[in-house]
C-alpha cells in the first residue's frame, strides 16, 4: 500500500467533487442523496466535518500526540453505530446553520481539502506509520488516509448517483480501498457489531474474487466476522463471489443488495449460495 497513491486519489476526487458541486442548481443541492435522511447539501457538510476531524488527527500525530481529544472516546471502545445518529444530526445542523450558504460551504470544503493535501505532502516515508487517533481504533497516518478515501469515494457516489443512476464508484479508489476491507484494525467501522444472539450460528467461509492478484477471504461464526487476503496455499472456499472492486465497495458498505446485483449479472456466485443468505446481516454501511 503506497500512501502517495491514496493521497493522489484523495486529491483528485476532492477537487472534482467541489468543481461538480459548484455547478449544482438549488434543486440538485437540496435533493435527497443515497444516504438515509441526508440531502446532498448534508453529505457535503459531513465531508467538511470528517475531513477536518481526520486532518486534526494527522496534525496531532505528527506533533507526537495520538490521544483522543476532549470528550472523545478511547479508540476501539465502542461501535460506530453508537455515534451514527449524532453524526447524522451534526451534518444536518451544519448545512442548516453555519454552512447554510452553498458558496460558503464549498469554500470551506475546498480550503480543508487543500490544507489536508498540503499537510500530507510534507509527510516523509518514516512518518506514515505514526499512530493517529480515530474512534474505530488507533491507526497509522497511512490508515487514516484510507478512511478519508472511503469517506470521499462513497459519499461522492451518494450524491451523484442519486441524480444520475449510472454514476459509478471511482475504480482506482475502489481498488485502493481493498486495503481497508482486509484491515482488521479499521474494518469494524462497517461490520455489524458481533452479538451472542446472532442468528448466524453456522460457520461460513466465502472467497471474494475481485479480478485482482489476490482474493479476499471472509469467515464468520456467531456474529464474528473476519476479512483477510486469502493465502495461495489455502483451498478454495465452499462459496466464491465474483464481482468488481467498484461493486464490492457498494456491497460491503450496504449501499447495494447482493441479490439484486446477482439478478443484474454484476455478481456471479460459485458453490453454495446458501452461505450468502446472511450477507446483509454482516455489513451495516458507513
Amino acid at each position: 500500500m503506497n500512501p502517495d497513491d491514496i493521497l493522489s486519489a484523495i486529491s483528485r476526487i476532492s477537487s472534482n467533487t467541489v468543481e461538480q458541486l459548484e455547478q449544482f442548481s438549488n434543486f440538485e443541492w437540496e435533493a435527497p442523496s443515497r444516504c438515509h435522511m441526508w440531502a446532498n447539501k448534508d453529505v457535503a457538510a459531513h465531508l467538511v466535518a470528517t475531513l477536518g476531524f481526520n486532518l486534526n488527527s494527522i496534525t496531532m500525530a505528527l506533533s507526537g500526540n495520538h490521544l483522543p481529544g476532549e470528550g472523545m472516546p478511547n479508540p476501539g471502545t465502542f461501535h460506530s453505530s453508537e455515534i451514527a445518529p449524532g453524526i447524522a444530526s451534526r451534518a444536518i445542523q451544519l448545512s442548516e446553520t453555519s454552512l447554510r450558504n452553498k458558496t460558503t460551504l464549498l469554500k470551506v470544503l475546498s480550503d480543508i481539502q487543500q490544507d489536508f493535501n498540503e499537510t500530507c505532502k510534507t509527510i516523509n516515508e518514516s512518518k506514515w506509520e505514526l499512530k493517529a487517533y480515530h474512534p474505530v481504533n488507533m491507526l497509522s497516518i497511512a490508515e487514516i488516509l484510507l478512511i478519508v478515501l472511503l469517506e470521499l469515494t462513497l459519499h461522492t457516489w451518494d450524491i451523484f448517483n442519486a441524480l444520475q443512476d449510472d454514476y459509478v464508484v471511482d475504480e482506482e479508489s475502489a481498488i485502493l480501498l481493498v486495503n481497508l476491507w482486509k484491515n482488521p484494525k479499521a474494518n469494524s467501522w462497517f461490520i455489524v457489531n458481533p452479538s451472542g444472539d446472532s442468528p448466524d450460528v453456522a460457520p461460513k467461509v466465502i472467497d471474494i474474487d475481485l479480478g485482482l492478484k489476490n482474493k479476499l477471504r471472509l469467515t464468520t461464526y456467531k456474529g464474528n466476522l473476519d476479512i483477510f487476503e486469502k493465502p495461495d496455499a489455502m483451498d478454495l472456499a465452499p462459496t466464491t463471489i465474483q464481482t468488481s472492486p467498484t461493486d464490492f465497495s457498494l456491497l460491503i458498505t450496504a449501499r447495494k443488495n447482493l441479490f439484486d446485483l446477482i439478478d443484474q449479472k454484476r455478481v456471479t456466485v460459485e458453490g453454495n449460495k446458501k452461505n450468502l443468505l446472511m450477507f446483509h446481516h454482516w455489513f451495516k454501511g458507513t
Side-chain angles (χ1 to χ4, degrees):
M1 182 180 74
N2 186 340
D4 290 335
D5 292 339
I6 304 171
L7 185 59
S8 176
I10 289 172
S11 178
R12 175 175 53 80
I13 293 174
S14 59
S15 296
N16 290 344
T17 298
V18 170
E19 289 177 5
Q20 292 181 68
L21 291 177
E22 287 174 340
Q23 305 304 315
F24 268 24
S25 65
N26 288 336
F27 172 81
E28 291 169 324
W29 187 242
E30 299 279 350
S33 75
R34 294 294 187 194
C35 279
H36 179 60
M37 295 181 65
W38 273 357
N40 288 328
K41 64 179 183 179
D42 302 323
V43 180
H46 172 67
L47 289 177
V48 170
T50 192
L51 273 172
F53 174 85
N54 286 295
L55 173 58
N56 182 65
S57 287
I58 290 173
T59 302
M60 295 296 288
L62 291 172
S63 69
N65 183 356
H66 56 259
L67 298 176
E70 184 177 354
M72 296 300 295
N74 289 327
T77 59
F78 75 107
H79 200 256
S80 58
S81 59
E82 297 173 41
I83 63 169
I87 291 174
S89 297
R90 177 59 174 159
I92 295 172
Q93 181 186 40
L94 283 172
S95 71
E96 294 290 344
T97 55
S98 59
L99 298 179
R100 184 175 183 176
N101 180 276
K102 185 183 83 167
T103 301
T104 301
L105 192 159
L106 293 181
K107 176 66 165 58
V108 173
L109 179 57
S110 179
D111 288 347
I112 291 178
Q113 289 171 344
Q114 184 174 349
D115 289 346
F116 185 93
N117 291 333
E118 289 180 354
T119 297
C120 291
K121 285 178 181 178
T122 67
I123 300 174
N124 62 45
E125 186 175 352
S126 65
K127 293 186 176 181
W128 283 119
E129 295 305 314
L130 286 176
K131 297 304 178 186
Y133 172 76
H134 192 278
V136 68
N137 219 322
M138 191 64 68
L139 304 176
S140 69
I141 293 178
E143 289 166 332
I144 291 285
L145 287 189
L146 280 174
I147 294 287
V148 172
L149 183 63
L150 170 71
E151 295 272 4
L152 280 170
T153 301
L154 274 299
H155 283 315
T156 53
W157 182 89
D158 291 330
I159 293 172
F160 299 122
N161 185 267
L163 298 170
Q164 183 180 339
D165 61 9
D166 60 350
Y167 180 91
V168 297
V169 169
D170 181 79
E171 184 176 11
E172 178 188 354
S173 298
I175 293 172
L176 289 169
L177 285 173
V178 173
N179 293 288
L180 184 62
W181 311 147
K182 64 184 181 182
N183 185 319
K185 291 192 295 181
N187 61 21
S188 60
W189 198 242
F190 45 86
I191 292 175
V192 168
N193 196 20
S195 62
D197 59 353
S198 170
D200 188 27
V201 295
K204 295 176 177 62
V205 181
I206 299 167
D207 285 343
I208 312 293
D209 183 355
L210 302 177
L212 305 175
K213 180 180 179 181
N214 298 106
K215 294 182 176 68
L216 297 180
R217 172 152 290 187
L218 182 155
T219 63
T220 180
Y221 181 60
K222 290 187 176 180
N224 293 294
L225 185 145
D226 294 299
I227 306 173
F228 53 91
E229 189 170 285
K230 175 185 173 294
D232 291 336
M234 279 188 175
D235 292 336
L236 289 176
T239 307
T240 298
I241 295 173
Q242 294 177 321
T243 189
S244 66
T246 55
D247 279 337
F248 188 68
S249 68
L250 298 174
L251 289 171
I252 200 170
T253 59
R255 283 166 165 81
K256 285 290 184 180
N257 181 280
L258 174 64
F259 302 102
D260 287 344
L261 293 191
I262 291 173
D263 290 342
Q264 296 167 21
K265 302 188 185 306
R266 290 162 60 180
V267 170
T268 59
V269 178
E270 296 180 356
N272 186 358
K273 293 184 179 181
K274 291 183 179 180
N275 281 343
L276 303 177
L277 294 178
M278 294 299 297
F279 188 90
H280 290 289
H281 175 80
W282 301 330
F283 304 107
K284 62 175 179 55
T286 56

